[in-house]
């Protein structure tokens, strides 16, 4: 093939590798049976992953719930997810808290640690440094409650591993935009 002959392909050149981004989506939906299954079905049916998912009724009188979803994808995939969520009938609003402005994210975890002697003292010292509360204690173990950003909880869990980490239970991310306006 001659290098001077223009390409007859109708397809553009392959796009450059796009960066995978983490986004927190807040989805306001009707609080009725099957809504969560439809939202989750949208993700699983298209092969999108969910890093975190929390759901709770937020406006009892209006029968509305808020679903907070943390997901990852290229900017194009994130836009697809948002548009597809907006098309679902029980969805009232989709807000990408990652791009709309400053927002707050928190997560709660319970962390069980087994230990005696120096490991026990070190676990208590670290818990104090991370502002984790002891919510259960025996002579051989502790259960700590810790709230904060996900990376703070990840760090705490990582530090507890060599001290006798037994089990971790996490709520998932909850998020809200800053300022006086609603989502």
């Amino acid at each position: 093939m001659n290098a001077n002959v223009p390409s007859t392909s109708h397809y553009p050149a392959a796009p450059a590798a796009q960066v995978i981004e983490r986004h927190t989506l807040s989805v306001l939906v009707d609080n009725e049976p099957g809504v969560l299954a439809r939202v989750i079905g949208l993700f699983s049916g298209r092969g999108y992953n969910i890093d975190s998912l929390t759901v709770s009724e937020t406006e009892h009188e209006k029968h509305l719930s808020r679903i907070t979803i943390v997901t990852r994808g290229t900017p194009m995939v994130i836009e697809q997810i948002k548009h597809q969520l907006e098309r679902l009938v029980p969805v009232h609003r989709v807000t990408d808290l990652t791009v709309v402005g400053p927002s707050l994210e928190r997560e709660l975890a319970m962390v069980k640690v087994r230990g005696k002697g120096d490991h026990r003292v070190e676990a208590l010292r670290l818990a104090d440094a991370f502002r984790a509360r002891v919510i259960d204690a025996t002579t051989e173990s502790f259960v700590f409650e810790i709230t904060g950003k996900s990376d703070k909880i990840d760090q705490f869990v990582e530090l507890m591993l060599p001290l006798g980490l037994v089990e971790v239970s996490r709520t998932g991310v909850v998020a809200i935009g800053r300022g006086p306006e609603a989502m």
Side-chain angles (χ1 to χ4, degrees):
M1 180 174 199
N2 186 342
N4 294 332
V5 177
S7 170
T8 57
S9 172
H10 297 290
Y11 299 104
Q18 292 189 359
V19 176
I20 302 294
E21 301 173 346
R22 176 187 180 272
H23 282 253
T24 302
L25 306 176
S26 185
V27 185
L28 193 63
V29 299
D30 289 332
N31 184 15
E32 58 187 36
V35 172
L36 181 60
R38 292 180 68 190
V39 170
I40 301 309
L42 182 147
F43 278 79
S44 65
R46 289 162 181 80
Y48 304 143
N49 192 37
I50 296 174
D51 292 346
S52 173
L53 173 77
T54 58
V55 184
S56 182
E57 184 176 60
T58 56
E59 297 183 45
H60 184 69
E61 295 80 27
K62 295 180 183 178
H63 302 289
L64 296 176
S65 288
R66 184 179 190 138
I67 302 173
T68 305
I69 303 168
V70 178
T71 189
R72 294 177 192 272
T74 63
M76 186 178 78
V77 166
I78 297 297
E79 283 304 312
Q80 285 177 339
I81 290 170
K82 291 190 297 191
H83 290 304
Q84 290 167 355
L85 282 169
E86 288 168 345
R87 282 188 244 150
L88 291 177
V89 171
V91 172
H92 292 268
R93 192 172 357 191
V94 177
T95 304
D96 187 345
L97 294 172
T98 306
V99 297
V100 297
S103 62
L104 302 169
E105 290 186 8
R106 294 295 183 266
E107 186 175 2
L108 177 132
M110 291 188 291
V111 179
K112 187 186 292 185
V113 179
R114 174 182 23 232
K116 291 185 176 185
D118 290 342
H119 283 186
R120 187 174 177 86
V121 172
E122 182 64 8
L124 284 169
R125 188 188 68 74
L126 287 169
D128 186 51
F130 277 81
R131 294 190 182 122
R133 294 183 328 125
V134 176
I135 59 172
D136 185 60
T138 68
T139 57
E140 297 181 9
S141 69
F142 289 109
V143 176
F144 298 107
E145 176 187 282
I146 182 169
T147 59
K149 292 186 175 186
S150 296
D151 58 346
K152 173 187 172 183
I153 293 172
D154 292 341
Q155 290 171 354
F156 183 71
V157 168
E158 190 71 27
L159 290 170
M160 291 296 144
L161 273 170
L163 300 178
L165 180 72
V166 175
E167 187 176 6
V168 178
S169 181
R170 297 173 79 153
T171 61
V173 173
V174 293
I176 195 166
R178 296 190 65 199
E181 294 83 28
M183 87 176 237

